């Protein structure tokens, strides 16, 4: 609508340029009136383009100056022939009323239309020999311009609201589909792990008191607790959209992978959002490397993971109570695990990694996205 009303104003200014060049080419006052109208139009539509909306102050300035004041100034400076011969001065009232309908709403546009109509009527009475047909033409231009602009504006806003509603429905449907797919994945995992273990024990094919069986049951019980915790957490209102992934699902995959290699992980998830898929993959890979370091270097079989949503971001902490190390000495030794697999991954996605450790004090790895 800004473009439409701007083109409408440009057509009136073009008519004014032709009129001044043809009828009063030597009149400095006529050129000054035209230049003033053009400058105010540039301010109105230039600021509207920069801000994405019409500034109410400039709309009112355009109506008062271009539509109401300039015709009177032209009448005094040039004479009656300016209004009679340069009908474009009153034409500007039509484009001013259309801009008011878009930028000021119904009430503001109504007030502007009244001012423009009053100006047209007063000029008609002030100019001797002015014809009623000309007055009716100006009145029709002001009223029809405002009415059409307001109707088009209302129609576009209504269509935009319908499109927004359709998009929300599509996003909600996609969120339901993703949650259903996640539930099916959980069901498959339960079938392959917990249900398989229970079935084997129930059939008497293994000794339920054997240490490996107890360890497997402990890992699967931890998995069930995490699964229940994630299902009870509120889902984001907009759900995972196309190109995003559930951060909790990605982290859970890293935890399960570490558990399959014998590490016991106590994990807690709190209000994790959907994040871009590359972010979810990088977080999972960095967490996997941190857990691998615990399993391979910490001298302990247990790690603790906490993942917390921070608005649309995520903070993940991996802690162990193992042997610990000197981060400065590790950096000098040129190891690749933390620099490449943790720090570099987080930096590439706009995140950050902080490693805190000391010999004999365990290790704490914090991952943040965004940084």
């Amino acid at each position: 609508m800004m473009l439409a009303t701007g083109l409408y104003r440009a057509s009136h200014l073009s008519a004014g340029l032709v009129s001044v060049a043809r009828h009063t080419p030597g009149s400095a006052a006529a050129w000054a009136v035209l230049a003033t109208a053009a400058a105010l139009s540039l301010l109105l539509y230039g600021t509207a383009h920069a801000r994405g909306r019409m500034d109410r102050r400039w709309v009112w300035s355009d109506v008062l100056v271009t539509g109401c004041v300039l015709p009177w100034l032209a009448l005094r400076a040039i004479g009656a022939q300016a209004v009679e011969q340069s009908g474009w001065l009153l034409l500007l009232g039509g484009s001013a009323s259309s801009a008011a309908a878009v930028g000021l709403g119904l009430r503001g546009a109504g007030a502007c239309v009244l001012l423009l109509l009053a100006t047209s009527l007063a000029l008609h009475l002030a100019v001797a020999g002015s014809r009623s047909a000309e007055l009716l033409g100006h009145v029709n231009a002001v009223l029809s311009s405002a009415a059409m602009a307001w109707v088009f504006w209302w129609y576009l806003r209504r269509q935009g609201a319908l499109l927004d509603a359709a998009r929300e429905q599509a996003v909600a449907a996609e969120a339901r589909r993703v949650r259903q797919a996640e539930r099916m994945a959980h069901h498959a995992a339960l079938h392959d792990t917990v249900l398989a273990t229970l079935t084997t024990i129930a059939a008497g094919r293994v000794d339920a008191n054997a240490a490996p069986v107890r360890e497997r049951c402990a890992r699967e019980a931890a998995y069930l607790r995490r699964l229940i915790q994630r299902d009870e957490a509120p889902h984001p209102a907009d759900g995972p959209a196309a190109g995003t992934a559930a951060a909790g699902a990605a982290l859970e995959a890293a935890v399960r992978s570490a558990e399959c290699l014998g590490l016991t992980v106590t994990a807690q998830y709190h209000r994790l959002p959907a994040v871009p898929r590359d972010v979810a993959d990088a977080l999972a890979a960095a967490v996997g490397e941190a857990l691998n370091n615990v399993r391979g270097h910490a001298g302990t079989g247990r790690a603790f993971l906490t993942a917390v949503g921070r608005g649309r971001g995520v903070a993940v902490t991996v802690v162990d109570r193992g042997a610990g190390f000197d981060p400065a000495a590790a950096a000098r030794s040129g190891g690749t695990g933390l620099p490449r697999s943790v720090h570099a991954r987080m930096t590439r996605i706009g995140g950050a990694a902080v490693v805190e450790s000391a010999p004999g004090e365990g290790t704490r790895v914090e991952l943040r996205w965004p940084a």
Side-chain angles (χ1 to χ4, degrees):
M1 289 306 299
M2 288 188 294
L3 177 62
T5 55
L7 292 174
Y8 191 33
R9 170 56 58 83
S11 69
H12 291 167
L13 291 175
S14 299
L17 178 63
V18 172
S19 180
V20 171
R22 177 180 298 176
H23 299 292
T24 54
S27 173
W31 288 109
V33 168
L34 179 62
T36 302
L40 193 55
S41 300
L42 286 176
L43 285 173
L44 170 61
Y45 290 100
T47 56
H49 176 73
R51 300 181 181 182
R53 61 178 177 82
M54 286 189 172
D55 191 311
R56 297 176 64 90
R57 293 170 299 179
W58 287 117
V59 175
W60 274 109
S61 298
D62 181 65
V63 170
L64 294 174
V65 176
T66 305
C68 299
V69 175
L70 285 184
W72 288 106
L73 291 178
L75 179 63
R76 292 180 61 87
I78 306 171
Q81 74 276 9
V83 179
E84 293 175 344
Q85 296 176 353
S86 304
W88 65 275
L89 284 171
L90 293 182
L91 280 180
L92 291 176
S95 51
S97 68
S98 66
V102 174
L104 299 179
L106 191 58
R107 292 185 178 179
C112 291
V113 166
L114 291 177
L115 284 173
L116 294 169
L117 292 179
T119 300
S120 297
L121 178 60
L123 283 171
H124 172 75
L125 296 176
V127 177
S130 181
R131 293 172 294 181
S132 298
E134 294 178 351
L135 174 63
L136 293 177
H138 291 311
V139 169
N140 177 67
V142 171
L143 290 175
S144 60
S145 297
M148 286 189 292
W150 187 86
V151 169
F152 290 154
W153 178 235
W154 169 84
Y155 176 77
L156 289 175
R157 292 181 64 184
R158 179 175 177 274
Q159 292 300 110
L162 292 175
L163 286 174
D164 288 343
R167 178 184 177 277
E168 290 177 0
Q169 291 176 358
V171 169
E174 176 65 11
R176 290 193 296 269
R177 187 195 67 77
V178 170
R179 287 197 292 269
Q180 179 63 21
E182 189 175 1
R183 281 195 293 269
M184 295 302 295
H186 290 330
H187 294 164
L190 290 174
H191 176 273
D192 296 340
T193 56
V194 178
L195 184 58
T197 301
L198 293 176
T199 301
T200 302
I201 294 174
R205 293 195 292 268
V206 297
D207 181 6
N209 293 319
V213 176
R214 292 200 304 271
E215 290 176 1
R216 175 167 176 162
C217 289
R219 288 197 303 270
E220 292 172 359
Y223 170 64
L224 282 176
R225 282 192 293 271
R226 294 194 300 269
L227 182 60
I228 293 171
Q229 182 186 58
R230 287 174 54 204
D231 285 344
E232 288 178 347
H235 292 281
D238 53 356
T244 67
L251 296 176
E252 180 62 25
V255 170
R256 292 285 293 165
S257 178
E259 287 182 330
C260 289
L261 297 176
L263 185 67
T264 300
V265 182
T266 302
Q268 299 283 332
Y269 306 106
H270 302 282
R271 298 180 179 273
L272 293 177
V275 298
R277 197 168 302 279
D278 61 330
V279 172
D281 293 341
L283 281 171
V287 166
E289 180 61 24
L291 294 176
N292 286 338
N293 284 340
V294 174
R295 182 178 57 83
H297 305 294
T300 178
R302 178 177 291 276
F304 302 87
L305 181 147
T306 303
V308 181
R310 303 186 306 169
R312 294 186 177 274
V314 180
V316 183
T317 305
V318 179
V319 178
D320 69 76
R321 298 171 183 167
F325 65 97
D326 183 353
R332 289 193 299 270
S333 68
T336 61
L338 288 175
R340 294 184 183 177
S341 298
V342 177
H343 290 286
R345 276 195 176 101
M346 296 304 297
T347 300
R348 280 196 296 269
I349 61 172
V354 178
V355 179
E356 298 175 353
S357 185
E361 298 295 332
T363 302
R364 178 179 181 273
V365 178
E366 182 180 3
L367 310 175
R368 297 190 301 271
W369 179 85

